[in-house]
Amino acid sequence: MEEFIVTVDGPAGSGKSTIAKIVAAKYGLTYLDTGAMYRMIALYALENGVNLEDEKSVEAMLENTKLDIVGNKFFLNGKDVSEEIRTPEVSGIVSPVAAIKAVRVKLVELQREISKGKKTILDGRDIGTVVFPNAQVKIFLVASPEERARRRLNEYKEKGIEADFESVITSIKERDRIDSTRKESPLMKADDAVEIDSSVMTIDEVVQAISECIDKKVN
Ligand code: DC
């Protein structure tokens, strides 16, 4: 099977994973949530009190973390952490973890390995710019911070996690700032990516817009 890569990059809460899952099902693509991989490393750092300023501690952490993805389940050293990686505590520490070069080197390699020779849709921040600069289809999905905060708050509510609008929007803006200004692979639209603003569109409309981009490449 020939490799076919669709990348969906954009800020936290722009709807990347919701949309990527639907598009994956529609076209029979494997879906890879790369943010979840950074979240697994962040969870390990949180649980083990890893000093992120210390290079040796970071190296040891990367040697001691085995990540496995089976369907939509995420395993950290054999333990299913699919729920734990979505908590506000992990969201609060994941951006600084994702800014560390050694962390990115390990995860980018893993992302390329998982997608090798497959038809895959990946969502993240640097997929179209760094991980797969030659991807067939590149999407940059954006939405206003207010809309993104509302969506995150709803997700937390559904899971019974307590949170308020102000703290969620503050955390989203802070993550945007760190993700966009970091030295290593900042959040950035690839020159050849198609930008879609999901604040003013329904899920179906976004899926339709991405489908048109895919159909152009396939047909
Ligand atoms: O998409 P998310 O909120 O689950 O991402 C969690 C964090 O990981 C976010 O702060 C940005 C970072 N990330 C990244 O730097 N590169 C990626 N390819 C995916 C996520």
Side-chain angles (χ1 to χ4, degrees), residues 34-35 38-39 94-95 98 104 124-127 175 179 182:
T34 65
Y38 289 94
R39 285 171 179 274
V94 66
S95 277
R104 304 203 69 84
R125 303 294 188 285
D126 61 336
I127 312 300
R175 276 213 281 151
D179 294 344
R182 70 182 177 216

Side-chain angles (χ1 to χ4, degrees), residues 8-13 16-17 33-39 42 85-86 90-91 93-99 104 107-108 111 123-127 131 152 175-176 178-179 182 184-187:
V8 184
D9 290 304
K16 297 184 301 290
S17 66
D33 175 352
T34 65
M37 299 167 80
Y38 289 94
R39 285 171 179 274
I85 58 172
R86 306 290 170 196
V90 171
S91 296
I93 182 195
V94 66
S95 277
V97 170
R104 304 203 69 84
L107 295 191
V108 168
Q111 288 153 19
D123 75 14
R125 303 294 188 285
D126 61 336
I127 312 300
V131 187
R152 264 296 133 88
R175 276 213 281 151
D176 283 358
I178 301 176
D179 294 344
R182 70 182 177 216
E184 301 299 332
S185 312
L187 168 65

